[in-house]
Amino acid sequence: MTRLFDIFLAGGFMMFPLLVLSVITSAYAMQRVWFWLKLVVQERQVVQDVLTVAQYEWEKAEEIATAAENLAIGRFVSAPLKLNNPTPENFHLAVQTAADKELIDIGGSNKLLESIIIIAPLLGILGTAGGLISAFFTLRNGAAENVAASGAATLILQALISSAAGIAVAVFAYACFQLFVLLRARRVDYFSTVGNQLEMIYLHIWNQSVQDATSSS
């Protein structure tokens, strides 16, 4: 721990804004991970209840979906369920329209991470430039050769640490960014799967009602 602290101090003044960026990235990543975990658990329970009940009691499935309209998946499945005896084509259009509406800004924005990915390396480069400039001035103005060389080596080390820290923060932010992009993509696929399952259930119910109407006539 002491060695890490010494390395941090050796990186110069740019290490402090980079530390702030790393803390912000960590806090944002933990908040988004908690958001996704909670969302997945809640949505899967709603979907399971709706798809199970819809197979034998359509109105009850609509009630479950409507009660969960505080969640995107609840609004998504309730939209087609609220239709009054639609054709399979109209039901499909309702599913697609609801999906388009709910997936516009799915999972929130990652603009903060995108900004950190850009800013962190620039801060590292700025610290590197400052360290190298100071090293050259030290060599140029050094009163004694050994003292000047030692001071220059310290400043060059500062430049390297600053650059490495900037890259490390950017890599960490990029890894978090890619994780959330993957989660968003998987959620889009999940909505598509749920929509297809709901359409299959409705198509079965529709065909059954047509057969019953034909046989009764």
Side-chain angles (χ1 to χ4, degrees):
M1 184 64 69
T2 303
R3 182 173 177 79
L4 288 176
F5 183 70
D6 292 339
I7 293 175
F8 174 82
L9 293 179
F13 67 96
M14 275 302 165
M15 295 296 289
F16 292 96
L18 288 172
L19 176 63
V20 172
L21 289 183
S22 66
V23 171
I24 292 174
T25 302
S26 300
Y28 179 81
M30 287 188 291
Q31 186 271 331
R32 298 312 293 172
V33 167
W34 174 247
F35 165 80
W36 280 109
L37 288 175
K38 184 172 65 172
L39 188 67
V40 167
V41 171
Q42 292 175 331
E43 290 192 337
R44 288 193 182 279
Q45 185 61 52
V46 171
V47 168
Q48 181 179 355
D49 293 343
V50 169
L51 294 180
T52 300
V53 174
Q55 298 180 47
Y56 59 86
E57 193 174 353
W58 195 255
E59 291 76 13
K60 181 65 176 178
E62 179 187 341
E63 293 177 6
I64 296 173
T66 303
E69 285 188 338
N70 60 310
L71 300 173
I73 197 71
R75 296 188 295 271
F76 169 62
V77 296
S78 67
L81 287 172
K82 290 179 178 179
L83 297 178
N84 184 20
N85 196 30
T87 63
E89 291 77 12
N90 288 337
F91 190 87
H92 174 74
L93 289 175
V95 170
Q96 292 299 316
T97 301
D100 292 340
K101 181 180 179 181
E102 295 300 330
L103 297 177
I104 290 176
D105 191 26
I106 186 171
S109 174
N110 289 322
K111 293 296 184 182
L112 176 64
L113 292 179
E114 292 178 357
S115 300
I116 292 175
I117 292 170
I118 296 173
I119 294 173
L122 295 179
L123 290 177
I125 292 173
L126 184 59
T128 299
L132 291 176
I133 290 171
S134 299
F136 285 129
F137 273 107
T138 299
L139 288 173
R140 179 180 177 182
N141 300 326
E145 184 176 347
N146 291 336
V147 174
S150 176
T154 300
L155 292 170
I156 291 174
L157 177 62
Q158 170 187 318
L160 294 176
I161 292 174
S162 177
S163 181
I167 294 172
V169 173
V171 168
F172 176 51
Y174 181 75
C176 294
F177 175 81
Q178 288 299 321
L179 172 63
F180 299 137
V181 168
L182 176 61
L183 290 173
R184 292 177 68 176
R186 293 190 59 147
R187 194 163 181 236
V188 171
D189 294 338
Y190 182 61
F191 269 56
S192 178
T193 301
V194 172
N196 291 337
Q197 291 175 336
L198 196 59
E199 287 187 56
M200 291 177 63
I201 293 172
Y202 184 73
L203 184 60
H204 175 74
I205 295 174
W206 172 267
N207 290 335
Q208 189 65 44
S209 64
V210 170
Q211 292 176 6
D212 292 343
T214 302
S215 60
S216 62
S217 62

